[in-house]
Amino acid sequence: MSLDPLSIVAPARIKVVLVPIGSITQSRFSSFVKRLQEENVIRLGDVSPDGRPHRTMFSPLAFPSGRILFDLTTAYPPESHIALFPFELYRIPLAIVGIADGQNALEDAVHGLKASTSDSEESVGSGLTAFLDNLSQDRETMINNFPKELVHQVMVFNLESAPYRLPEGICSVPSPAKSKVTTIKTIMCDLASQVLGEMTSPAKSIQASTTLESPRTYGSIVYRPLAEYAVSSRPTSAERNERPFSPANEPQKQDYRKSMPAHILSNLGSRSSTPDSRATSPPSRVRTPPTTFEEMPGTPGSSPPPKRAEIKRPTSQDRGSMQGFGSGDRERIKLQGRIGISVGAMFLLAGRWPDAVKELVEGAMLARANNDHAWHAKALDYLLVCCLMYAWADMDFRIPQVMYPTAEKPGAKPSHTPSNSLPDLSTTASSNSDRDASLRNLAALLPELVNVILNLYARAWTFSDDKIPQLIFSESGIRFSKLLVPIQRSNGRINENVLRCVVLNVVFEQKQTESDQITTFPTKADITAFLFRAFPKSWADASMTTADRTVILSAIASVLSELGYHRKKAFIFKEILSGLVPALIQARKNGAAELGIHPAASLASLDAALDDQRSQSLEVPYGEPESGIQNFLALICSSYGILLATSDGEHQDQKTKDPGASQLNSSEAVTYRTTQHAYSKSFGSQELKTHIFQLCINICEALPDLGGILRFSAELLRTSGSGNAPGSDSSSGAPFLDAEDQLRLSNKISRTVSAAKQFGLEHLETEYWDEFLVRGIEFVNSSSPKTPSPHAKNELEVVATIETEAKKDPFLYNPFLQAKRKAATPLLVAKEEAIFQVTVQNMYDFDLEIESIELESEGISFAAAAQGATVGPYRTQSLFLTGVPLSAGALKLTGCIAQIKGCRRRRFPLFEKSWTLKHDVKVKHTALTNLMVEKLSGISLEPNASKSKLTKGLTGPIASSLSVDVIGVQPQVVVKSISLPQSALMLLEGETKVFTVTLRNVSRTVAADLLLLSFDNSTAAQLQAAMNSNELSPTDFYELELASSKQPLRWRRGDNDLDPTIGPGQELTLEIEVVGKPGLSHGTIQADYGYIGGSRSSIKDRFYTRQVSIPLTITVNASVDFTRTDLLPFSSTFAWRNQQRLHSLPPSTSENLSPSTHRQSLTPRSSYHKSKTPDNRFQALLQRIGLSPNTETQHCLLLLDCRNSWPTPLTISIQIRSSSSSFSSPPTTSTDSPRNGSAADPWKRAYTVHETLHPGHTARLVLLLPRLRIQNPYAPIPHLDPKTKRQFVVGGGSSSGKDSNDPEAQIKAREAFWFREEILSLMRATWMEEKTGRTGEVNLRNLRLGGKMVEAVRMPEMEVRMEVSLNNKTKRRFESSVEGGEEEEEEEEEEEEETGVDEEGNGTIEQTGPTTYVVPLHTPLILTATLTNRSLAPVHALLRLQPLVAGPHPHHLALDLGRKFLVHGSLQRVVPVLQPGE
């Protein structure tokens, strides 16, 4: 436990300097020091008195209840403090204790002797002897180097095999495991006994002194800087090789930094080979400390040390002398007072407080009587310490009368009852009433007493020649203030907590309450005003060294912090920085001048200091001495409300940790830290904060401290930033600093890092200044063919259905043909590289050099690739980073691990959303109080950051992440080759071509056991756009759907293509068929492949496929176009004549007539093609009409105008069939039966018309079509694709002009549609290029039917056929029925049919056409009408005959039948109900 050097009880502590000896590490030395410091309070009753009779002046037996307080320190006091002897005796170290590590040193000695002897026991004994001899020599050297200290002791820790008797001045300290509770206390009691015994001689010397000088202003002391020390104290290689851990290589104590353990024994090891080398005097340039009190300044016989700065004093010096009379008596009395005060101070150190009070009271009275103001004030100071020690030891005491200020004024009554002039202090335990009263009186007296002491110091400076140094006055004011603060916090009372805080330096925890506060005790404002009396003069004043001034100001800031005056503390800190910067710069210049180098090159001394530190026994790493400076500067920054990123200790811890696993880099910690910094920027002056940072940087540059330069330069950039995450369209992220200042800081960081690398400091880095480095992470190749697409199991079943039923339903949904769906989470493939787009931001006006950046992930293993980049000033920039997932599973990308030049490698979370701190306006006091709650020198990582007092009620930025799914290893299929040159082909409309595509699986481990082909073409988008129009009629929409259903690209499967599989490293060749289609300009073959690892039925939920696309360029030229279409009625006479001709043949001939005989009249294709006579085209065709008894005899003519758009002649062939086989001959043989397949192919008996079309010419083709009857020609127009079914409103979307709203027009449109479809089903056309043999189909969908054309092709629903016969047949039937003889009538009919002549000898009726008869005159005829119902509903018919006179007669004459035609009976008759088809 370290003690406060500016404590009020510091005069009661014996200073002991602990130094390392031999081979010892810093950690073990610190642990040994800590064991001794835990027992720094010794009771005099436990101390053995010195047995020598002349050493009993400070015998502990005189006051066994007293206490000795040891100030065990590792720093030797500076000369400015030693020069205050004998005015302040407690500043002089009375003992030098060497600390040795017995375990390590003994092991080294034994290890060195084992090489020369084989006996291990002999080696151990010899090693122990050698080790003790070395310690004895080191102790002698220590005495030579520090001859003026009273006690020189060596303590050997952890020496297990210590002999029974050790050499003089050496003691053994066992390890903690073998030590008892009182072991360390016993050792400290022995040390106290030696010190008390040795204090007798200097005390008697002081009593015998003839003069005691007061301390003077000490302004000519020059201190050497660290750089000079580091070079000059660097040991030679010979010294390091001889004894690298020997303390003999150390420089003298005055050359050491006081913040480190004193390396005052380093020269002990540089012993020469001669025995007298230890007696050599130290170098002349180094001051040798006094060996006795007589040699100290101010004692008789003392002389100035060699080359020591002279102390300038006025000519008239206030000296005590025993010669002369008059004024000599006054000087003698003043000397007696000073001697008494000095002896009393020594009794105070020895713990004999009654003797100290006695001497101090007498000395104070003499000093007051002789106006010796400085010594009078010091006596009162010591008396106050004695009272506090009495109170702390729980003893009764009385306040001496000399301490009361009112006693100085004649006739003034003291406010407290004084005691007698001589102290009457009890040494027994105090009663509560007396002790409490004394404590109350002391608390009441204390404010006035401390003011009196400071006033006496000020009076000594003004009215006498005893101008004490400013150091004494300032330290006294600080010590008194530190006493007043806990008493004020304790409501103006001195209690146990106050005493423990004052004496033992325990943290005071009691809080002030308003209920029992003593109103007469000074307030915090009064204490602050008193404290500022200790404020030193300007830095230009040479009466106080820079180090002392810095300590004084730091102590003032500490007291102000305890009082809660943080703004005043910040003012003091700023004053410290303002004074340190020029002092350090001047020291750097002086050190460079002594080295003979330029001050700018003085950094080179740092390298020498580093090498020296590596060779020292303490093994101090670089940066540890400077860590105290950085912590001090961090404390200064916190006073101004500046939060630093992390403390230096936390930075050191991060060097050995994984940046992704460090707690400081977690998303919660970064969010909390960001909120802290943003909140701290919401109040305070940015200009003032910038100025403080500049001062910190200047101090670090003057030291030089490279780590501090990096740290505070980065913190200045952080503080000057906005602290927000601006959006893409926001400009609120601009820093506070100008662009020039930002660039200057950036260059400074770069230069410092370069300089550190030159000195071997490779890991000297700082913290990056912007937490919002990573603003976005996206998976960039989500649309790449290599990116797998997820599919459900039912999608594979749909594809199987498409492959089997594509002809039945071409509009089946193909999920693989649709545009690639973007998955909710990106998909990656194990062991394949993935590319991510990372958006980084740089909100500063200089280039940001990123040495390495890589993705940081959670979940499965992910191998991220690092790369460097440079981000331009004030922008967001996209970087493309890659990584490889090593297994399948869930992966989450949470940020990046990056290292910016000059900054340490750390994790940056992902912050995608913009963020700005929103909070209520805080007043100064509230904001600063919240900051004081936190750990101001760094961040505070609480388990639950939401409960932090600073960030309570504030919403911090939200860290984002990108989740991706990683699937197993998948195959990779590429297109190896394609048979088309440059993937392009040209064809004519209707032409079909086949080409091959070869696919190769480049994967070496996985097979592509799932392959699905889909096709896309340019016509699909055009047709889909046309179908999206709302102005289409049902007929047009049907045509578009039909055109869309016919894909121009098809996969021609072979026997081995039913379930294709591409093994690892294997190939597969596919045959693709292309059909020329108008509007086809390009197409795409899309192959979806994947690995399912079994049959398709083994898929559970989902499967994944990849896609490889093959683009094609297709040119389709026009071939044959139909420019005009017409339908005309055609007479049925040809069919009747063919039937009559067939019946006129002999029975044997007609029975043996085969279908091939009838087709002989049809010209074969080759010969018919050469026929040029138009009559020959129809001769054979007309001869076949009506030959089949199952066909209709009514036909129509189809006229087609064909045009050749190709530059070479094309031959067009058009086939027409009949749904009822009207052109087929009667089935006379068994081969023509439907059972043998003749009826299975309807085009087998179709007839073909051929025509050669020359380029650009148009020809008209005449085709014979049977008239058609449709059962329901008014049925709705169907939809090929159920998904596109619409509800067509009558009249809506029709292109029929003014008739679009007419229902009859809609009915006619439907009728035309169905007749057109029936006609197209009976026709097909092809073309052929004779030279090349190219063939293709002709699209007949361009045919359109008008109203008259429908009438020409449509058969009537009610067919009426009439026949004329002779009337005698009816007459005979009538007479036979009367006479009852039917058989006779039948015989007559048979006779008439055979002969053709009736009984009267008249000729028969001759039929010349289907409806034309030649009948004899004056012969009764019978007209037979046959009605056929071809409709779908029953018909209630009324038959009405109306005879007309044939020929071109006027109407009135045509109806005049009285002279030409006689009718027997009624011409109108009701026909029975005719059922459909009846």
Short mmCIF file of all heavy atoms in Angstrom, two decimals, residues 481 485-486 488-489 512 523-525 527-528 531-532 555-573 638-639 924-933 936:
data_model
loop_
_atom_site.label_atom_id
_atom_site.label_comp_id
_atom_site.label_asym_id
_atom_site.label_seq_id
_atom_site.Cartn_x
_atom_site.Cartn_y
_atom_site.Cartn_z
N SER A 481 -4.88 21.22 3.76
CA SER A 481 -6.15 21.07 3.04
C SER A 481 -6.60 19.62 3.03
O SER A 481 -7.79 19.32 3.17
CB SER A 481 -6.00 21.59 1.61
OG SER A 481 -5.65 22.96 1.60
N VAL A 485 -10.30 18.45 4.49
CA VAL A 485 -11.33 17.87 3.63
C VAL A 485 -12.06 16.72 4.30
O VAL A 485 -13.30 16.71 4.37
CB VAL A 485 -10.73 17.45 2.28
CG1 VAL A 485 -11.73 16.61 1.48
CG2 VAL A 485 -10.33 18.67 1.48
N PRO A 486 -11.39 15.69 4.84
CA PRO A 486 -12.16 14.61 5.49
C PRO A 486 -12.90 15.09 6.73
O PRO A 486 -13.97 14.57 7.03
CB PRO A 486 -11.10 13.56 5.81
CG PRO A 486 -9.81 14.29 5.81
CD PRO A 486 -9.94 15.38 4.81
N GLN A 488 -14.21 18.09 7.09
CA GLN A 488 -15.40 18.77 6.59
C GLN A 488 -16.44 17.77 6.11
O GLN A 488 -17.64 17.95 6.31
CB GLN A 488 -14.99 19.72 5.46
CG GLN A 488 -16.04 20.76 5.07
CD GLN A 488 -17.03 20.22 4.06
OE1 GLN A 488 -16.75 19.25 3.36
NE2 GLN A 488 -18.21 20.84 4.01
N ARG A 489 -16.00 16.70 5.45
CA ARG A 489 -16.93 15.67 5.00
C ARG A 489 -17.50 14.88 6.15
O ARG A 489 -18.54 14.23 6.01
CB ARG A 489 -16.21 14.73 4.02
CG ARG A 489 -15.76 15.41 2.73
CD ARG A 489 -14.99 14.45 1.85
NE ARG A 489 -15.78 13.30 1.47
CZ ARG A 489 -15.33 12.25 0.81
NH1 ARG A 489 -14.03 12.22 0.45
NH2 ARG A 489 -16.11 11.25 0.48
N GLN A 512 -21.34 13.40 4.00
CA GLN A 512 -21.79 14.53 4.80
C GLN A 512 -23.31 14.59 4.84
O GLN A 512 -23.99 14.36 3.86
CB GLN A 512 -21.24 15.82 4.23
CG GLN A 512 -21.63 17.07 4.99
CD GLN A 512 -21.02 18.30 4.38
OE1 GLN A 512 -20.21 18.20 3.50
NE2 GLN A 512 -21.42 19.46 4.87
N THR A 523 -16.32 25.77 5.14
CA THR A 523 -17.04 25.10 4.06
C THR A 523 -16.06 24.68 2.96
O THR A 523 -14.86 24.96 3.03
CB THR A 523 -18.12 26.02 3.49
OG1 THR A 523 -17.47 27.19 2.94
CG2 THR A 523 -19.09 26.46 4.58
N LYS A 524 -16.60 24.04 1.96
CA LYS A 524 -15.75 23.62 0.85
C LYS A 524 -15.17 24.82 0.12
O LYS A 524 -14.02 24.78 -0.34
CB LYS A 524 -16.55 22.74 -0.12
CG LYS A 524 -16.96 21.41 0.45
CD LYS A 524 -17.46 20.46 -0.64
CE LYS A 524 -18.70 20.98 -1.32
NZ LYS A 524 -19.20 20.02 -2.34
N ALA A 525 -15.95 25.87 0.04
CA ALA A 525 -15.43 27.07 -0.61
C ALA A 525 -14.29 27.68 0.19
O ALA A 525 -13.29 28.15 -0.39
CB ALA A 525 -16.55 28.08 -0.80
N ILE A 527 -12.27 26.02 2.20
CA ILE A 527 -11.11 25.13 2.05
C ILE A 527 -10.45 25.35 0.69
O ILE A 527 -9.22 25.33 0.56
CB ILE A 527 -11.54 23.67 2.24
CG1 ILE A 527 -12.10 23.46 3.65
CG2 ILE A 527 -10.38 22.73 1.99
CD1 ILE A 527 -12.64 22.08 3.90
N THR A 528 -11.28 25.56 -0.33
CA THR A 528 -10.74 25.80 -1.66
C THR A 528 -9.93 27.10 -1.70
O THR A 528 -8.85 27.15 -2.31
CB THR A 528 -11.87 25.85 -2.69
OG1 THR A 528 -12.64 24.65 -2.62
CG2 THR A 528 -11.33 26.05 -4.09
N LEU A 531 -6.75 26.41 -0.04
CA LEU A 531 -5.91 25.56 -0.87
C LEU A 531 -5.20 26.37 -1.94
O LEU A 531 -4.01 26.12 -2.24
CB LEU A 531 -6.76 24.45 -1.50
CG LEU A 531 -6.07 23.53 -2.51
CD1 LEU A 531 -4.99 22.70 -1.81
CD2 LEU A 531 -7.09 22.60 -3.17
N PHE A 532 -5.88 27.33 -2.51
CA PHE A 532 -5.27 28.09 -3.60
C PHE A 532 -4.17 29.02 -3.11
O PHE A 532 -3.45 29.61 -3.92
CB PHE A 532 -6.34 28.88 -4.35
CG PHE A 532 -6.95 28.09 -5.49
CD1 PHE A 532 -8.17 27.46 -5.33
CD2 PHE A 532 -6.30 27.99 -6.70
CE1 PHE A 532 -8.73 26.74 -6.37
CE2 PHE A 532 -6.85 27.27 -7.75
CZ PHE A 532 -8.08 26.63 -7.59
N ALA A 555 -1.34 17.69 -6.69
CA ALA A 555 -1.95 17.54 -5.38
C ALA A 555 -3.12 18.50 -5.20
O ALA A 555 -4.15 18.15 -4.60
CB ALA A 555 -0.90 17.78 -4.30
N ILE A 556 -2.97 19.73 -5.69
CA ILE A 556 -4.10 20.67 -5.63
C ILE A 556 -5.29 20.13 -6.40
O ILE A 556 -6.44 20.21 -5.95
CB ILE A 556 -3.65 22.05 -6.17
CG1 ILE A 556 -2.59 22.67 -5.26
CG2 ILE A 556 -4.84 22.98 -6.31
CD1 ILE A 556 -2.03 23.98 -5.77
N ALA A 557 -5.04 19.56 -7.58
CA ALA A 557 -6.13 18.98 -8.36
C ALA A 557 -6.77 17.81 -7.63
O ALA A 557 -7.99 17.62 -7.70
CB ALA A 557 -5.60 18.54 -9.72
N SER A 558 -5.97 17.04 -6.92
CA SER A 558 -6.54 15.91 -6.17
C SER A 558 -7.48 16.40 -5.07
O SER A 558 -8.56 15.83 -4.86
CB SER A 558 -5.40 15.08 -5.57
OG SER A 558 -5.91 14.05 -4.75
N VAL A 559 -7.07 17.44 -4.35
CA VAL A 559 -7.93 17.98 -3.29
C VAL A 559 -9.21 18.56 -3.89
O VAL A 559 -10.32 18.37 -3.36
CB VAL A 559 -7.17 19.02 -2.47
CG1 VAL A 559 -8.08 19.65 -1.42
CG2 VAL A 559 -5.95 18.40 -1.80
N LEU A 560 -9.08 19.27 -5.00
CA LEU A 560 -10.28 19.81 -5.64
C LEU A 560 -11.21 18.71 -6.10
O LEU A 560 -12.44 18.86 -6.08
CB LEU A 560 -9.86 20.68 -6.84
CG LEU A 560 -9.13 21.98 -6.50
CD1 LEU A 560 -8.67 22.68 -7.78
CD2 LEU A 560 -10.03 22.91 -5.69
N SER A 561 -10.65 17.59 -6.53
CA SER A 561 -11.50 16.47 -6.93
C SER A 561 -12.27 15.91 -5.74
O SER A 561 -13.45 15.57 -5.86
CB SER A 561 -10.63 15.37 -7.57
OG SER A 561 -11.41 14.26 -7.93
N GLU A 562 -11.64 15.83 -4.58
CA GLU A 562 -12.34 15.35 -3.39
C GLU A 562 -13.42 16.33 -2.96
O GLU A 562 -14.46 15.92 -2.44
CB GLU A 562 -11.34 15.14 -2.26
CG GLU A 562 -10.34 14.02 -2.52
CD GLU A 562 -9.41 13.82 -1.34
OE1 GLU A 562 -9.63 14.47 -0.30
OE2 GLU A 562 -8.46 13.04 -1.45
N LEU A 563 -13.20 17.59 -3.21
CA LEU A 563 -14.21 18.58 -2.87
C LEU A 563 -15.34 18.65 -3.90
O LEU A 563 -16.37 19.28 -3.64
CB LEU A 563 -13.56 19.96 -2.73
CG LEU A 563 -12.60 20.14 -1.55
CD1 LEU A 563 -11.91 21.49 -1.64
CD2 LEU A 563 -13.35 20.02 -0.23
N GLY A 564 -15.14 18.04 -5.06
CA GLY A 564 -16.17 18.06 -6.09
C GLY A 564 -16.08 19.22 -7.03
O GLY A 564 -17.01 19.44 -7.83
N TYR A 565 -14.98 19.98 -7.01
CA TYR A 565 -14.80 21.11 -7.91
C TYR A 565 -14.02 20.63 -9.14
O TYR A 565 -12.81 20.84 -9.27
CB TYR A 565 -14.06 22.24 -7.20
CG TYR A 565 -14.85 22.88 -6.10
CD1 TYR A 565 -14.35 22.99 -4.81
CD2 TYR A 565 -16.12 23.38 -6.35
CE1 TYR A 565 -15.07 23.58 -3.80
CE2 TYR A 565 -16.86 23.98 -5.33
CZ TYR A 565 -16.34 24.06 -4.07
OH TYR A 565 -17.08 24.65 -3.08
N HIS A 566 -14.75 20.01 -10.06
CA HIS A 566 -14.08 19.41 -11.21
C HIS A 566 -13.65 20.45 -12.24
O HIS A 566 -12.65 20.24 -12.93
CB HIS A 566 -15.03 18.39 -11.87
CG HIS A 566 -15.45 17.30 -10.93
ND1 HIS A 566 -14.58 16.34 -10.47
CD2 HIS A 566 -16.67 17.02 -10.35
CE1 HIS A 566 -15.23 15.50 -9.67
NE2 HIS A 566 -16.49 15.90 -9.58
N ARG A 567 -14.38 21.52 -12.34
CA ARG A 567 -13.95 22.55 -13.29
C ARG A 567 -12.66 23.20 -12.82
O ARG A 567 -11.77 23.50 -13.62
CB ARG A 567 -15.05 23.58 -13.46
CG ARG A 567 -16.30 23.05 -14.13
CD ARG A 567 -17.26 24.17 -14.44
NE ARG A 567 -16.71 25.09 -15.41
CZ ARG A 567 -17.33 26.20 -15.80
NH1 ARG A 567 -18.51 26.53 -15.29
NH2 ARG A 567 -16.78 27.00 -16.69
N LYS A 568 -12.54 23.46 -11.51
CA LYS A 568 -11.29 24.01 -10.98
C LYS A 568 -10.16 23.01 -11.15
O LYS A 568 -9.02 23.37 -11.43
CB LYS A 568 -11.47 24.40 -9.51
CG LYS A 568 -12.40 25.58 -9.29
CD LYS A 568 -12.49 25.93 -7.81
CE LYS A 568 -13.31 27.21 -7.58
NZ LYS A 568 -14.70 27.09 -8.06
N LYS A 569 -10.49 21.73 -10.95
CA LYS A 569 -9.46 20.71 -11.16
C LYS A 569 -9.01 20.70 -12.61
O LYS A 569 -7.81 20.55 -12.90
CB LYS A 569 -10.02 19.34 -10.77
CG LYS A 569 -9.01 18.21 -10.93
CD LYS A 569 -9.63 16.87 -10.66
CE LYS A 569 -10.59 16.48 -11.76
NZ LYS A 569 -11.07 15.09 -11.61
N ALA A 570 -9.96 20.84 -13.53
CA ALA A 570 -9.59 20.88 -14.93
C ALA A 570 -8.69 22.09 -15.24
O ALA A 570 -7.77 21.99 -16.05
CB ALA A 570 -10.85 20.92 -15.79
N PHE A 571 -8.96 23.20 -14.57
CA PHE A 571 -8.11 24.38 -14.76
C PHE A 571 -6.68 24.09 -14.29
O PHE A 571 -5.70 24.49 -14.94
CB PHE A 571 -8.70 25.56 -13.99
CG PHE A 571 -7.77 26.70 -13.82
CD1 PHE A 571 -7.49 27.56 -14.88
CD2 PHE A 571 -7.12 26.93 -12.61
CE1 PHE A 571 -6.61 28.62 -14.71
CE2 PHE A 571 -6.24 27.97 -12.44
CZ PHE A 571 -5.99 28.83 -13.50
N ILE A 572 -6.55 23.40 -13.17
CA ILE A 572 -5.22 23.05 -12.67
C ILE A 572 -4.51 22.12 -13.63
O ILE A 572 -3.30 22.26 -13.91
CB ILE A 572 -5.34 22.44 -11.27
CG1 ILE A 572 -5.95 23.45 -10.29
CG2 ILE A 572 -3.98 21.97 -10.76
CD1 ILE A 572 -5.15 24.71 -10.11
N PHE A 573 -5.23 21.14 -14.14
CA PHE A 573 -4.63 20.22 -15.09
C PHE A 573 -4.15 20.94 -16.34
O PHE A 573 -3.08 20.63 -16.89
CB PHE A 573 -5.63 19.13 -15.47
CG PHE A 573 -5.75 18.05 -14.43
CD1 PHE A 573 -6.92 17.31 -14.31
CD2 PHE A 573 -4.72 17.77 -13.57
CE1 PHE A 573 -7.03 16.32 -13.36
CE2 PHE A 573 -4.81 16.78 -12.61
CZ PHE A 573 -5.98 16.05 -12.50
N SER A 638 -10.42 13.51 -18.83
CA SER A 638 -11.72 13.22 -18.21
C SER A 638 -12.24 14.41 -17.43
O SER A 638 -13.46 14.58 -17.30
CB SER A 638 -11.57 12.01 -17.29
OG SER A 638 -10.72 12.31 -16.20
N SER A 639 -11.35 15.25 -16.93
CA SER A 639 -11.80 16.42 -16.20
C SER A 639 -12.53 17.41 -17.11
O SER A 639 -13.35 18.19 -16.63
CB SER A 639 -10.60 17.12 -15.55
OG SER A 639 -9.94 16.24 -14.66
N LYS A 924 -24.82 21.77 -17.19
CA LYS A 924 -23.42 21.43 -17.02
C LYS A 924 -23.20 20.48 -15.86
O LYS A 924 -22.54 19.44 -15.98
CB LYS A 924 -22.63 22.71 -16.79
CG LYS A 924 -21.18 22.45 -16.41
CD LYS A 924 -20.62 23.60 -15.62
CE LYS A 924 -21.36 23.75 -14.31
NZ LYS A 924 -20.78 24.78 -13.46
N HIS A 925 -23.81 20.76 -14.73
CA HIS A 925 -23.53 19.98 -13.54
C HIS A 925 -24.03 18.55 -13.69
O HIS A 925 -23.35 17.59 -13.32
CB HIS A 925 -24.18 20.65 -12.32
CG HIS A 925 -23.84 19.97 -11.03
ND1 HIS A 925 -24.60 18.96 -10.52
CD2 HIS A 925 -22.81 20.15 -10.16
CE1 HIS A 925 -24.06 18.54 -9.37
NE2 HIS A 925 -22.98 19.27 -9.14
N THR A 926 -25.20 18.40 -14.26
CA THR A 926 -25.76 17.07 -14.42
C THR A 926 -24.93 16.24 -15.37
O THR A 926 -24.65 15.07 -15.14
CB THR A 926 -27.21 17.16 -14.91
OG1 THR A 926 -27.95 17.96 -14.00
CG2 THR A 926 -27.82 15.79 -15.03
N ALA A 927 -24.54 16.83 -16.49
CA ALA A 927 -23.78 16.08 -17.48
C ALA A 927 -22.43 15.65 -16.92
O ALA A 927 -22.01 14.51 -17.08
CB ALA A 927 -23.59 16.93 -18.74
N LEU A 928 -21.75 16.57 -16.26
CA LEU A 928 -20.44 16.23 -15.72
C LEU A 928 -20.54 15.23 -14.60
O LEU A 928 -19.69 14.36 -14.44
CB LEU A 928 -19.75 17.52 -15.24
CG LEU A 928 -18.24 17.39 -14.99
CD1 LEU A 928 -17.54 16.90 -16.24
CD2 LEU A 928 -17.67 18.71 -14.54
N THR A 929 -21.60 15.29 -13.82
CA THR A 929 -21.79 14.31 -12.75
C THR A 929 -21.99 12.92 -13.33
O THR A 929 -21.46 11.94 -12.82
CB THR A 929 -22.99 14.70 -11.88
OG1 THR A 929 -22.78 16.00 -11.36
CG2 THR A 929 -23.18 13.72 -10.75
N ASN A 930 -22.75 12.82 -14.40
CA ASN A 930 -22.95 11.52 -15.03
C ASN A 930 -21.64 10.97 -15.56
O ASN A 930 -21.39 9.77 -15.49
CB ASN A 930 -23.95 11.65 -16.18
CG ASN A 930 -25.35 11.87 -15.68
OD1 ASN A 930 -25.67 11.52 -14.55
ND2 ASN A 930 -26.18 12.44 -16.52
N LEU A 931 -20.79 11.85 -16.07
CA LEU A 931 -19.51 11.37 -16.56
C LEU A 931 -18.62 10.88 -15.43
O LEU A 931 -17.87 9.93 -15.58
CB LEU A 931 -18.80 12.49 -17.33
CG LEU A 931 -19.30 12.75 -18.74
CD1 LEU A 931 -18.57 13.94 -19.33
CD2 LEU A 931 -19.10 11.54 -19.61
N MET A 932 -18.71 11.54 -14.30
CA MET A 932 -17.87 11.13 -13.18
C MET A 932 -18.26 9.76 -12.66
O MET A 932 -17.47 9.08 -12.02
CB MET A 932 -17.95 12.16 -12.05
CG MET A 932 -17.32 13.51 -12.38
SD MET A 932 -15.58 13.36 -12.81
CE MET A 932 -15.64 13.68 -14.56
N VAL A 933 -19.48 9.35 -12.92
CA VAL A 933 -19.92 8.04 -12.45
C VAL A 933 -19.19 6.94 -13.19
O VAL A 933 -18.91 5.88 -12.65
CB VAL A 933 -21.46 7.90 -12.63
CG1 VAL A 933 -21.92 6.51 -12.27
CG2 VAL A 933 -22.16 8.91 -11.74
N LEU A 936 -13.73 7.16 -16.28
CA LEU A 936 -13.47 8.22 -17.22
C LEU A 936 -12.17 8.01 -17.99
O LEU A 936 -12.00 8.56 -19.06
CB LEU A 936 -13.41 9.56 -16.48
CG LEU A 936 -14.71 9.94 -15.79
CD1 LEU A 936 -14.55 11.24 -15.06
CD2 LEU A 936 -15.83 10.03 -16.78
#
